Amino acid sequence: MASFKITGGRRLSGELVPQGAKNEALQILCAVLLTKEPVTIHNIPNIRDVNQLIDLLGDMGVWVTKIGEGSYRFVASDVNLDYLDTPAYKSKAAALRGSVMLLGPMLARYKKGRIPRPGGDKIGRRRLDTHFLGFEKLGATFHYDGDFYRVEGDQLKGAYMLLDEASVTGTANVLMAAVMAEGTTTIYNAACEPYLQQLSKMLNRMGAKISGVGSNMLIIEGVSELHGTDHTMLPDMIEIGSFIGLAAMTQSEVTIKNCRIPELGIIPDVFKRLGIQMEFRGDDIHIPSQELYQIETFLDGGMMTVADSPWPGFTPDLLSIVLVTAIQASGTVLIHQKMFESRLFFVDKLIEMGAQIILCDPHRATVVGLGRHMQLRGIRMSSPDIRAGVSLLIAALSANGTSIIDNIEQIDRGYQHIDTRLNAIGAEIVRL
């Protein structure tokens, strides 16, 4: 198990280029199974979760060729379905939550698919019902034998479905199954995150017929086959938000390059409500060094609340970052994490560092900003999940003294060479 040793209290200065979007990559990579023709993907982040999925595709028989930094060509012309019965497949697929999105493409093209119960962050209950209920609406059968989830469907047929939740991965999985089903499929209460929009646009370039892209109702006219394409992924909005919070907490002057600002939704606005100044320079976001940032109140004077909700609401992946950023603000904010009941449990480490946080219940935490009157102190801690790990890293970079963060494999799952990139603009992070 690796660790970061962080010397805090240093102001950073320079430019950061966000990596390709992790959550988009997991969907896009699974979609290469939908065609036997070459699919070239650019701006793929070099992170553990994505690399594990690329390795898994290679083990399944997909030809994988690296053609440049962050660019790969995939040819799924001869997929070995027998590999799905091996212990190696069970072990590798179980270690990666994104492997569940292999099911939709396999069902569409090969009429069957199987995955072990997938892993990923331990941030609360993350049910998969939406995926399998959608497959069943298309005419597939579902089985779970305690080890594997299995779906089979010799003749998928389009159907109307109202998803029980606007699940991002669930929508992506059902969408990929529906593009080659006979007839018309309507997915209502579909997730409409930019990642889903990117997947839909890519599938349409491959020959799919998807309308309603960007809305919560997708209409899919089934086609008999899909073709190859080129696709370039968006910059990672979660990393962009993380860098905004990092700059504010460490009183740093940072420019985040090539952000695709129109795709960020309300993310910049939420950080502005914490009092963080930022300037849009073309497609770059410039955050000046701020001695103090003041949390806004609501118009009636009520305490600010930041809560997650499906897109175009605020993404749950940035609530941990907002929480840690509020520690040194002036004012008070309630963080309401609605979707995952274990995601706020890392705040005990922040409290140990000197933060003033009340954990109200598993879903809500009140942060009373220190307003720079007191600095956090460095401690030893462990990263419980990707986003909490980076939140602890931000706290450590702003703290007095030295901090150790263990289990940084969690951070590496979602952030590409984060130590190297931050050290280049003045941080002092040593990988142990």
Side-chain angles (χ1 to χ4, degrees):
M1 182 182 293
S3 303
F4 281 152
K5 179 181 178 182
I6 303 108
T7 302
R10 299 171 65 97
R11 297 196 184 196
L12 315 183
S13 179
E15 296 181 346
L16 290 167
V17 179
Q19 66 190 26
K22 166 186 175 284
N23 290 337
E24 179 185 342
L26 299 177
Q27 299 176 23
I28 295 297
L29 289 170
C30 292
V32 305
L33 292 175
L34 285 165
T35 180
K36 62 183 179 182
E37 297 180 15
V39 176
T40 302
I41 306 175
H42 305 286
N43 201 28
I44 297 177
N46 182 14
I47 55 178
R48 288 188 64 196
D49 275 15
V50 170
N51 292 337
Q52 285 178 334
L53 182 55
I54 292 173
D55 289 344
L56 182 60
L57 288 170
D59 291 341
M60 292 172 64
V62 179
W63 289 95
V64 181
T65 307
K66 187 171 184 179
I67 57 175
E69 187 62 35
S71 296
Y72 288 79
R73 180 177 293 113
F74 301 87
V75 183
S77 58
D78 189 22
V79 173
N80 178 15
L81 295 180
D82 292 336
Y83 177 70
L84 305 183
D85 297 323
T86 65
Y89 174 72
K90 180 179 179 181
S91 175
K92 287 190 174 184
L96 177 66
R97 185 164 186 83
S99 64
V100 70
M101 286 182 288
L102 294 169
L103 282 176
M106 286 194 288
L107 182 60
R109 187 169 166 207
Y110 301 106
K111 313 306 179 186
K112 63 180 180 179
R114 57 187 277 159
I115 61 158
R117 187 179 181 90
D121 284 332
K122 306 304 181 185
I123 56 177
R125 185 168 177 263
R126 306 172 79 182
R127 62 189 183 86
L128 297 173
D129 302 54
T130 303
H131 302 245
F132 300 117
L133 290 172
F135 294 150
E136 287 179 332
K137 285 281 189 180
L138 295 173
T141 58
F142 163 68
H143 306 279
Y144 177 54
D145 60 12
D147 288 322
F148 280 91
Y149 297 112
R150 293 184 290 115
V151 289
E152 298 176 354
D154 289 335
Q155 187 62 55
L156 299 183
K157 292 186 180 296
Y160 173 89
M161 62 186 78
L162 175 60
L163 300 187
D164 61 333
E165 66 171 349
S167 164
V168 176
T169 56
T171 301
N173 225 351
V174 176
L175 174 65
M176 288 187 282
V179 291
M180 294 171 68
E182 180 183 334
T184 301
T185 299
T186 299
I187 306 175
Y188 197 22
N189 194 30
C192 51
E193 270 80 354
Y195 312 132
L196 257 302
Q197 297 177 40
Q198 286 282 96
L199 175 64
S200 298
K201 292 172 184 176
M202 172 182 165
L203 293 173
N204 280 342
R205 289 196 304 273
M206 294 171 70
K209 297 180 180 179
I210 305 167
S211 59
V213 177
S215 75
N216 69 345
M217 179 180 282
L218 297 175
I219 299 174
I220 306 103
E221 300 288 340
V223 298
S224 59
E225 64 177 350
L226 296 180
H227 307 285
T229 190
D230 277 30
H231 179 80
T232 299
M233 297 197 307
L234 292 173
D236 196 307
M237 67 173 73
I238 312 304
E239 191 169 76
I240 292 169
S242 302
F243 291 155
I244 294 172
L246 168 67
M249 271 290 278
T250 58
Q251 300 173 279
S252 300
E253 182 172 356
V254 173
T255 299
I256 310 169
K257 304 289 290 183
N258 306 324
C259 293
R260 296 286 295 273
I261 294 171
E263 306 289 348
L264 296 178
I266 66 169
I267 288 172
D269 295 327
V270 171
F271 283 100
K272 286 179 181 178
R273 296 174 86 175
L274 296 182
I276 299 171
Q277 299 171 21
M278 63 185 76
E279 177 185 342
F280 295 162
R281 299 178 175 176
D283 210 21
D284 302 340
I285 299 177
H286 177 75
I287 299 100
S289 177
Q290 290 180 248
E291 294 300 317
L292 190 63
Y293 45 103
Q294 174 75 48
I295 298 173
E296 295 179 1
T297 60
F298 288 119
L299 292 177
D300 62 0
M303 185 176 71
M304 178 61 59
T305 299
V306 178
D308 59 334
S309 61
W311 189 270
F314 191 65
T315 172
D317 281 347
L318 278 174
L319 275 186
S320 300
I321 306 298
V322 168
L323 186 150
V324 77
T325 304
I327 289 172
Q328 285 296 2
S330 178
T332 302
V333 62
L334 174 67
I335 306 297
H336 190 176
Q337 167 59 267
K338 298 176 183 176
M339 296 182 66
F340 303 113
E341 66 273 11
S342 303
R343 211 165 200 172
L344 298 180
F345 288 167
F346 75 102
V347 302
D348 60 331
K349 300 302 181 185
L350 300 174
I351 293 170
E352 188 178 345
M353 296 176 77
Q356 295 185 347
I357 304 173
I358 302 167
L359 185 60
C360 309
D361 56 44
H363 291 277
R364 296 178 301 162
T366 300
V367 184
V368 181
L370 298 173
R372 308 287 187 199
H373 295 303
M374 184 178 73
Q375 292 301 108
L376 299 182
R377 54 185 173 271
I379 64 169
R380 186 161 199 149
M381 45 199 160
S382 182
S383 171
D385 65 73
I386 299 174
R387 310 308 173 189
V390 169
S391 299
L392 295 174
L393 176 61
I394 291 171
L397 287 165
S398 73
N400 282 330
T402 300
S403 297
I404 303 290
I405 302 178
D406 298 317
N407 194 29
I408 60 168
E409 288 82 2
Q410 287 285 358
I411 299 174
D412 289 336
R413 286 180 49 218
Y415 290 81
Q416 173 178 306
H417 308 309
I418 189 69
D419 49 337
T420 304
R421 295 157 73 200
L422 294 182
N423 284 345
I425 63 169
E428 189 174 333
I429 306 170
V430 178
R431 184 179 290 261
L432 306 176

